[in-house]
Amino acid sequence: MPEILPEPAIRVSGLTKHFGAHAAVHDVSFSLPAGETLVLLGPSGCGKTTLLKMLNRLVEPDAGTVEINGRDVRQQRPEELRRGIGYVIQQVGLLPHYSVADNVAVVPRLLGHAPAAIAARTHELLTRLHLPPERYAARFPHELSGGQQQRVGLARALAADPPIVLLDEPFGALDPVTRARIRREFRELEELRDKTIVLVTHDVAEAFELADRILLLDAGRVQQLGTPRELLFRPATDFVRRFFAAERLQLQMRTLTLKDIRPFLLEPTAFDAWPPETSVHAALEALTDTQAADPLQQLPQPTAPVMRPLMEAFEQALQTEHAWTR
Amino acid sequence: MDTLTELLEFWRLQAGKLGEQTLQHIGLTAAALLLAVLLGVPLGLWLTRRPRWAPAVLGFAGVLQTVPSIALLGFLIPLLGIGATPAIVALLLYSLLPIIRNTVAGIQGVNPAVVEAARGLGLTNGQILRRVELPLALPVLFAGIRTATVIGVGVATLAAYVAAGGLGEFIFGGIALNNPVMILAGALPAAALAVAFDAALAGLQRLSARRLVRVGVGLLVLLPLLGVLYLLPRAGGKLQAGFSPEFVGRADGLPSLQRAYGLRRLPSVVLAPALVYEAARHADVDVIDGYSTDGRIRAYDLQVLRDDRRVFPPYFAAPVVRPTVLRAHPGLLPVLNQLAGQLSDSVMTELNYRVDYLHEPPRAVAEAFLRRRGLWRAPRTLVPGAAVVRLGSKIFAEQYILVEMYAALIRGATDLDVQTKTGLGGTTICFEALRSGAIDMYPEYTGTGLQVLLQPSVATLDSLGGQPAAVFDYVQREFRRRYGLEWLPPLGFNNTYALLMRQRQARELGIGSLSELGRYLGR
C-alpha cells in the first residue's frame, strides 16, 4: 500500500532479531502515520514485544532500521531517544521508593523541566486519570490497587508529553472488570487523542477495540498488516483466518456499525438517533440492557420492534462483505 | 558472685589496658569493615553485570570463610608479617563474603520490571544504579554489612594472636592460664561490642531507603575515623618484645621476671605461641618467650638468655600416669621407666629441631632415638581384644615425640595395644582428660604441675626455692594426695621458660643473660 503521508512518525524496515538460532523477529517493515494507533497482535512468543523494544532501543536489532520522525534511532543516544517516547509495561514497574508524584515526575526531571511546571503537569495528569492529587500524589505504589498503579504508569509515560507512546500489554495484569474500565478510560483520554501509539497485546478484542491498524505476527513474521476490518473480512493467510476463528461472530458484531447495516434495514431511519459508528454489538447491548446504564439509552430509542430487523440487516451486511471478499 | 567481684577487680586494675584494647578492637573492626565495603560492594555490583563470574567469586569467598581463622592468620604471617596488616586483611577476607553476597542478592532482588521501566523511561545505566538499584538493594546490602560487622567483632579477638591487640589479649591469656575471670574480662566487652554494633546497625536498617543512603555516606566517613583509633601511638622502646598470652599472665612468667630483673621499659605485644619464634626470626620483635629445649632455637639462630637469678622454676618432664593402669598391667611400669634420665636438654633440643624444623615425622624421630639407645624392639603381634593404653599429648612437637617413644616401648615390650590422643589443646585439657580416664598418661612438666595445676601459696613456693628435686617431690606427693595420680621419674631435660633473642643481635648488644638485658634496657 503506497504511503500517502510524506513523513510517517515511525518507519520500520527489514527489522530482524535473533536470540541464538531462534529468529524472534524476521524482516518486519511498516510505516505508522502520526496520530495512528498500531496494535502488534499475535500469540505468545510471536516476537511482538521484541519488535516493540527495538523501537526505543531496549533491544538492538541484528538487521534493519527504525526511523522516528524520519531520523534513524541509532543517531541518538538511547537514553535521549527513550526520554522522547512514552513507555508503559504490563508489570507497570513503578519505582517503589518514589511517591506517585515523584514517579510521574521522573522523565520531566531527567529533561530538566522547571519544578513548578513539573508540579503543575503532575497535578493535571493525575486529575485526568482519576487519581485526585490531594489524595494520591504523596502515596507510594504499594498503597495503590493494580488499576491505580497502571494509571500512574500511564501518567508517567505521558508526563513529558511525548508524541509517541509504546505500550506493552498495558492492561494484561488487571482483572477483567478493571481492564474494561481502564481500557475505556484509555480510549477516551484526551491526552492520547493525537499521539502515535504502538500497543502490544495478545487479546483480540482489545486489539479490535483500540487499533486503527493491526500488525498480526506469527513466529516473528508479519502475517498481515491492515485495519481490523481488513484482517477480519480479507485475511491474507490461513493463519490470520484461524487466528480469529474462535471469536469470529463477536468480532464481526464489534466491527460492523450501524452505518454498515443501514442499507439493509427495513426502516433505515430506525437508529438515526444513535451515532452511526456505534457497533452492532454495542447496539445490541444497549437494547438488551435492563439496567439502563448504557449511554446509548440516554438517547431517543428506536421504535420497537428493532431486534429482529437489526439481526437480519447484520446478516445481509455480512454476506455482502463475504461476497466482496470472494 | 566471687567471679563478678574478681572480674570487677580485674577491670579496675587493668582499666588502662581494657580501654586501650577496646579502642583497638573497635578500630580494627572498623578499618577492616571499611575496606570490605569499599572492596565488596563494587565487586558485588560488578558480579551483577557479569553473572558468569558470580559462582566463582562467591565460591572463592565462601571457601575463605571456611578457613579456620587461626589457619588464615598462619597463611598471612609469611606474606605480611605480624601486627595490624595481617589482622586487618584476615578480618577483611572474612567480611567479604556476606557483603559481596548480599550486594549481589540485593541487586538481583530488585524487581526486573522496575529496572526495565526505568531504562524505558530513559535513565542511563549509572542513574539506574544510583536511583533505582542501589536504594532498593540497600536493605539487603545493609544486612550483609551487619553480618560482616558481627563476624568482624568476633574474629577481631584473634588479632591478639598476631600482635595486633584487641580484646583477644585478655581472652587468650585467660585461656592459656585457665583463668575464667581473665577470659570474661575480654569476652564480655567483645560480646557487648558485637551486640552494640548490631543494634546500632539494626536501628539504621529500619530507616527508609532514602535516609539509608545518607547514613551509608555517613558511615563511609565514620569508619575511617574509628579505624584511626587503632593507630593511637603505642609506647616505644629500645627493644620490642613479643610474648605468648600464657607467659604474660602467669605468675612465674613475665610478672616475676619484671620484678626480678626490672624489665620495665620493655614494650611488648601479645602473639600466638606458634608465632613468637617466627616473629623473632623475621625481626618483627626482638625478645620473645620460649622453651629452653625448643627445636627452633637452633633452627632460627636464637639464643637463650641465661636466667642468672633463677626466676623461672624448673620444668622437668616426667610422665603422669593413672595408678590403676600400672596396677592392672604390672609389666608396664619398668617399660615406662626405661626412658628415665635418658634425655638431656641438648638431646631434646636436637630431637625437637628434627621435627619442628626438618619436618621429620615425630614417630621416625622417636624410633631412631630408641634404636641409638638400644631400647628399640619390634612391635609384638597383637592378640585380638588386647587391653589398650591411651597416651595423651599437648599440642607441640616435644610431646608428640615423647608419646611416640612411649608407644614404641609399650608395643615392643608388652602385649598391650596403644592408642594415642595427640594434640590435646593444653595443660588443663590433658590434665582433665587424665583425671576423667579419657587418657591413661601424658608427659607433664614439674613446673606446670606446680604453678598451673597445684597453685600453691607463695610461702610454699619460696620454701621449694626453685630446687628441681624439691619441686618434683612436692608435685609427686601432692598429685598422689589430691588427685590420686602418679608422677614417674623425670626424663632428664628441663624445658623451662626462657627469654630468647636473635644470636646476632644479642652478641652485638652484649646481652647474654637476663641481668644484662635489664641493664641494657635501663640505660
Side-chain angles (χ1 to χ4, degrees):
Chain A
M1 191 167 86
E3 204 55 62
I4 302 152
L5 290 171
E7 179 147 294
I10 302 176
R11 188 207 301 275
V12 164
S13 42
L15 215 51
T16 297
K17 178 69 187 180
H18 290 265
F19 292 117
H22 168 70
V25 171
H26 186 83
D27 194 21
V28 171
S29 304
F30 64 84
S31 291
L32 189 60
E36 248 196 36
T37 298
L38 175 71
V39 170
L40 305 181
L41 181 66
S44 298
C46 70
K48 51 195 190 295
T49 293
T50 306
L51 177 55
L52 185 81
K53 286 183 176 176
M54 285 193 278
L55 301 183
N56 67 355
R57 295 186 66 184
L58 284 175
V59 171
E60 295 287 358
D62 296 330
T65 55
V66 176
E67 286 169 38
I68 304 274
N69 298 322
R71 190 176 170 204
D72 192 323
V73 290
R74 279 168 303 189
Q75 291 173 357
Q76 229 175 339
R77 293 217 344 261
E79 293 81 21
E80 282 170 20
L81 172 76
R82 291 174 198 145
R83 285 169 200 174
I85 301 177
Y87 186 58
V88 179
I89 59 175
Q90 179 181 341
Q91 310 90 324
V92 192
L94 296 180
L95 305 184
H97 54 307
Y98 280 23
S99 69
V100 165
D102 286 337
N103 263 291
V104 174
V106 167
V107 180
R109 281 191 187 139
L110 287 175
L111 293 170
H113 292 185
I118 294 175
R121 175 71 177 156
T122 305
H123 192 276
E124 175 193 4
L125 269 172
L126 289 178
T127 309
R128 263 193 217 163
L129 283 157
H130 310 293
L131 293 167
E134 50 283 355
R135 267 181 72 195
Y136 289 99
R139 292 204 188 175
F140 283 87
H142 67 89
E143 298 169 309
L144 304 179
S145 70
Q148 290 169 337
Q149 289 187 18
Q150 195 52 282
R151 289 201 194 109
V152 177
L154 193 55
R156 180 174 67 175
L158 296 173
D161 202 14
I164 296 175
V165 183
L166 309 180
L167 303 102
D168 190 356
E169 306 216 19
F171 316 115
L174 305 174
D175 66 84
V177 177
T178 314
R179 188 183 332 177
R181 196 176 64 236
I182 303 239
R183 206 152 67 193
R184 194 173 323 119
E185 283 174 23
F186 177 83
R187 215 175 43 211
E188 291 160 5
L189 192 63
E190 179 71 33
E191 282 284 333
L192 288 169
R193 194 103 338 138
D194 52 354
K195 302 268 188 236
T196 307
I197 294 172
V198 180
L199 183 144
V200 164
T201 185
H202 59 255
D203 182 332
V204 174
E206 184 168 293
F208 272 68
E209 186 177 332
L210 302 176
D212 291 318
R213 285 195 296 159
I214 293 175
L215 180 74
L216 182 62
L217 283 166
D218 180 47
R221 288 161 199 269
V222 178
Q223 296 295 322
Q224 190 166 1
L225 171 61
T227 62
R229 185 178 290 226
E230 282 167 352
L231 266 72
L232 187 63
F233 295 117
R234 281 177 277 160
T237 67
D238 219 35
F239 174 84
V240 181
R241 195 189 318 276
R242 273 185 283 114
F243 193 77
F244 299 119
E247 293 160 277
R248 184 176 309 282
L249 178 63
Q250 161 99 289
L251 296 174
Q252 287 166 341
M253 291 189 1
R254 285 182 189 278
T255 308
L256 293 182
T257 61
L258 294 179
K259 189 175 136 218
D260 294 322
I261 64 165
R262 193 172 190 275
F264 308 105
L265 281 170
L266 289 175
E267 280 181 72
T269 54
F271 292 97
D272 277 2
W274 290 6
E277 65 273 15
T278 305
S279 72
V280 173
H281 186 271
L284 277 172
E285 259 186 349
L287 290 172
T288 53
D289 187 1
T290 53
Q291 301 293 315
D294 200 299
L296 287 177
Q297 292 182 353
Q298 313 304 318
L299 302 171
Q301 296 300 298
T303 47
V306 285
M307 284 283 271
R308 191 168 167 169
L310 179 70
M311 291 312 291
E312 282 170 1
F314 173 63
E315 188 192 1
Q316 286 176 22
L318 270 187
Q319 280 170 1
T320 315
E321 284 287 352
H322 286 300
W324 186 66
T325 306
R326 286 187 207 102
Chain B
M1 282 295 93
D2 271 358
T3 315
L4 184 61
T5 325
E6 284 177 49
L7 182 60
L8 293 176
E9 177 66 9
F10 185 91
W11 275 336
R12 198 180 60 77
L13 289 174
Q14 305 272 357
K17 199 127 180 66
L18 177 70
E20 184 194 351
Q21 290 184 7
T22 307
L23 288 184
Q24 284 175 347
H25 208 95
I26 296 172
L28 263 179
T29 313
L33 195 64
L34 175 72
L35 293 175
V37 169
L38 289 181
L39 196 64
V41 172
L43 194 56
L45 292 178
W46 181 77
L47 286 184
T48 61
R49 304 296 190 251
R50 300 268 188 293
R52 271 187 322 126
W53 288 89
V57 174
L58 288 176
F60 180 68
V63 167
L64 282 180
Q65 198 85 12
T66 63
V67 177
S69 11
I70 288 284
L72 186 60
L73 287 173
F75 285 129
L76 293 176
I77 302 293
L79 302 173
L80 303 170
I82 64 167
T85 319
I88 289 178
V89 170
L91 276 175
L92 161 71
L93 293 179
Y94 276 111
S95 307
L96 269 183
L97 179 67
I99 292 180
I100 298 178
R101 193 162 52 192
N102 281 42
T103 305
V104 173
I107 298 283
Q108 285 177 346
V110 174
N111 184 351
V114 173
V115 177
E116 199 213 311
R119 181 161 289 123
L121 291 173
L123 273 76
T124 62
N125 284 336
Q127 287 168 331
I128 289 174
L129 183 66
R130 283 193 309 278
R131 298 194 195 173
V132 181
E133 289 180 311
L134 272 182
L136 292 177
L138 211 55
V140 178
L141 203 163
F142 217 79
I145 295 178
R146 209 172 133 187
T147 310
T149 310
V150 176
I151 292 177
V153 173
V155 175
T157 53
L158 291 167
Y161 268 168
V162 288
L167 289 160
E169 288 191 10
F170 282 155
I171 297 177
F172 292 112
I175 291 174
L177 294 168
N178 192 24
N179 180 346
V181 169
M182 195 166 168
I183 298 177
L184 284 177
L188 287 183
L193 272 186
V195 172
F197 270 123
D198 195 44
L201 291 173
L204 295 182
Q205 212 174 338
R206 278 193 290 274
L207 296 176
S208 71
R210 230 181 261 200
R211 304 250 298 277
L212 259 185
V213 175
R214 255 172 269 156
V215 171
V217 173
L219 270 187
L220 284 186
V221 178
L222 184 66
L223 286 181
L225 292 180
L226 287 177
V228 168
L229 287 180
Y230 184 70
L231 303 174
L232 289 177
R234 293 175 162 208
K238 290 182 188 171
L239 292 176
Q240 173 71 43
F243 294 133
S244 60
E246 182 167 357
F247 182 77
V248 174
R250 61 193 286 171
D252 59 343
L254 189 59
S256 63
L257 205 65
Q258 284 175 332
R259 265 198 309 279
Y261 293 104
L263 303 178
R264 295 250 169 257
R265 282 152 76 180
L266 181 58
S268 64
V269 294
V270 177
L271 268 170
L275 299 176
V276 284
Y277 289 92
E278 290 289 333
R281 180 195 192 185
H282 293 118
D284 290 319
V285 295
D286 307 307
V287 181
I288 62 169
D289 67 302
Y291 297 97
S292 49
T293 57
D294 198 292
R296 286 166 292 187
I297 295 175
R298 182 180 153 186
Y300 296 167
D301 292 326
L302 302 179
Q303 178 175 341
V304 176
L305 302 184
R306 231 173 24 259
D307 176 19
D308 46 344
R309 289 186 196 164
R310 291 183 149 273
V311 170
F312 294 129
Y315 281 78
F316 283 89
V320 190
V321 194
R322 289 172 67 81
T324 46
V325 182
L326 297 176
R327 277 196 297 276
H329 312 292
L332 190 58
L333 183 61
V335 175
L336 298 179
N337 279 340
Q338 280 179 311
L339 276 187
Q342 289 281 0
L343 295 147
S344 66
D345 283 9
S346 59
V347 168
M348 197 64 234
T349 307
E350 167 71 18
L351 298 181
N352 286 337
Y353 168 71
R354 288 180 169 280
V355 173
D356 266 337
Y357 193 66
L358 302 180
H359 300 300
E360 293 177 21
R363 185 172 205 156
V365 172
E367 291 182 2
F369 169 81
L370 293 178
R371 278 177 214 277
R372 274 205 305 282
R373 293 294 162 102
L375 296 170
W376 168 256
R377 284 157 82 179
R380 297 191 189 176
T381 324
L382 282 177
V383 284
V388 179
V389 178
R390 283 155 302 176
L391 308 180
S393 89
K394 301 183 195 179
I395 192 160
F396 51 89
E398 182 170 293
Q399 292 255 326
Y400 283 44
I401 300 169
L402 294 176
V403 162
E404 290 297 346
M405 286 184 187
Y406 282 118
L409 286 174
I410 295 170
R411 287 196 182 104
T414 75
D415 290 323
L416 296 166
D417 192 6
V418 177
Q419 206 181 67
T420 56
K421 294 194 173 182
T422 51
L424 298 176
T427 299
T428 328
I429 294 170
C430 274
F431 177 67
E432 292 300 337
L434 186 67
R435 281 185 77 188
S436 70
I439 56 175
D440 296 314
M441 65 169 275
Y442 77 96
E444 187 51 283
Y445 305 87
T446 52
T448 311
L450 181 72
Q451 301 274 0
V452 180
L453 299 172
L454 295 173
Q455 300 188 352
S457 65
V458 179
T460 313
L461 277 181
D462 285 347
S463 76
L464 297 174
Q467 297 301 314
V471 170
F472 180 80
D473 287 344
Y474 177 83
V475 169
Q476 193 180 44
R477 198 169 61 240
E478 285 298 309
F479 263 63
R480 268 183 207 149
R481 192 173 69 81
R482 290 198 211 174
Y483 311 123
L485 296 172
E486 189 62 29
W487 283 74
L488 301 186
L491 303 176
F493 64 90
N494 178 17
N495 184 2
T496 186
Y497 270 129
L499 285 200
L500 311 169
M501 290 180 72
R502 286 181 299 283
Q503 256 180 27
R504 188 166 175 189
Q505 187 182 32
R507 212 169 31 240
E508 279 166 6
L509 300 177
I511 300 173
S513 69
L514 292 175
S515 301
E516 283 161 6
L517 175 65
R519 277 199 294 280
Y520 171 77
L521 292 171
R523 276 207 294 272

